[in-house]
């Protein structure tokens, strides 16, 4: 720890060797772990020690979240998703998008909708410019969740905010129609009239 903090005047090569030795030792501990709890403890040693490199800490945080997910521990899973997300680069988040999506779907299944929605949006934001196939599903999940919870203003905002993330016009207009239909059912006539005026030209083109 004192070497990593720069307290001693040693070469960068030596510091790198110290980091590598530390992480390698802890990863051996993970491999020998008799159960998931022991594996988490080993990863925690990496995450909490400044001797470990940033990449090693990112990997440790992400692996902790996946282990908790496998253990069916939603609170710990979400906590470590947040921790890993906070130190990941955009490319690392993009690379792990499918795994985070699976975790978000699990939160949805547990009816922890706020958590699911938060993760869906994070994934979509980080992949918006790439316009990957996953974006269309994420877009639909976000809007449907908002509509189902009667968060109409948020549903409207997200419909427009994320529609340029590679979303087809057919999907956009289908979700707009779903929002309008739900507004009628909920007798939100003021919002229906406001949103319909904004959608009218696009929807008339698909009818």
């Amino acid at each position: 720890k004192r070497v990593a903090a720069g307290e001693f005047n040693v070469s960068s090569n030596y510091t790198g060797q110290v980091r590598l030795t530390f992480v390698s030792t802890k990863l051996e501990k993970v491999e020998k772990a008799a159960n998931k709890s022991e594996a988490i403890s080993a990863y925690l040693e990496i995450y909490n020690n400044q001797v470990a490199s940033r990449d090693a800490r990112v990997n440790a945080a992400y692996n902790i979240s996946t282990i908790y997910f496998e253990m069916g521990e939603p609170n710990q899973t979400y906590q470590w998703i947040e921790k890993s997300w906070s130190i990941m680069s955009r490319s690392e988040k993009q690379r792990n998008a499918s795994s985070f999506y699976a975790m978000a779907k699990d939160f949805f299944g547990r009816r922890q909708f706020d958590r699911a929605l938060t993760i869906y949006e994070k994934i979509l934001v980080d992949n918006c410019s790439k316009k990957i196939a996953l974006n269309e599903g994420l877009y639909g999940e976000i809007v449907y969740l908002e509509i189902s919870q009667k968060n109409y203003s948020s549903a409207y905002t997200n419909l427009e905010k994320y529609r340029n993330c590679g979303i087809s016009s057919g999907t956009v207009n289908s979700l707009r129609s779903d929002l309008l239909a739900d507004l009628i059912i909920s007798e939100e006539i003021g919002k229906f009239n406001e949103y319909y005026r904004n959608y009218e030209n696009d929807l008339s083109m698909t009818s």
Side-chain angles (χ1 to χ4, degrees), residues 189-207:
I189 305 306
K191 278 189 170 63
F192 172 87
N193 289 333
E194 176 190 348
Y195 298 166
Y196 183 77
R197 281 194 299 271
N198 294 333
Y199 294 158
E200 189 171 8
N201 290 336
D202 288 338
L203 292 177
S204 65
M205 292 173 64
T206 62
S207 60

Side-chain angles (χ1 to χ4, degrees), residues 16-27:
Q17 288 171 359
V18 170
R19 293 183 189 278
L20 182 60
T21 301
F22 171 78
V23 173
S24 296
T25 301
K26 298 309 174 185
L27 290 177

Side-chain angles (χ1 to χ4, degrees), residues 16-33 38-39 41-47 49 51-53 56:
Q17 288 171 359
V18 170
R19 293 183 189 278
L20 182 60
T21 301
F22 171 78
V23 173
S24 296
T25 301
K26 298 309 174 185
L27 290 177
E28 284 178 16
K29 195 171 178 180
V30 171
E31 291 175 2
K32 294 176 181 177
E38 288 184 9
S41 295
Y43 279 126
L44 278 170
E45 290 186 56
I46 295 174
Y47 177 80
N49 199 309
V51 169
S53 66

Side-chain angles (χ1 to χ4, degrees), residues 152-188:
Y152 297 126
S153 294
S154 293
Y156 175 79
T157 298
N158 288 331
L159 261 166
E160 304 312 307
K161 182 166 67 173
Y162 297 128
R163 67 191 181 96
N164 292 321
C165 298
I167 314 303
S168 68
S169 59
T171 296
V172 173
N173 286 327
S174 176
L175 289 167
R176 285 170 168 174
S177 295
D178 290 338
L179 173 57
L180 292 173
D182 214 87
L183 288 169
I184 292 174
I185 293 169
S186 298
E187 299 182 352
E188 294 274 0

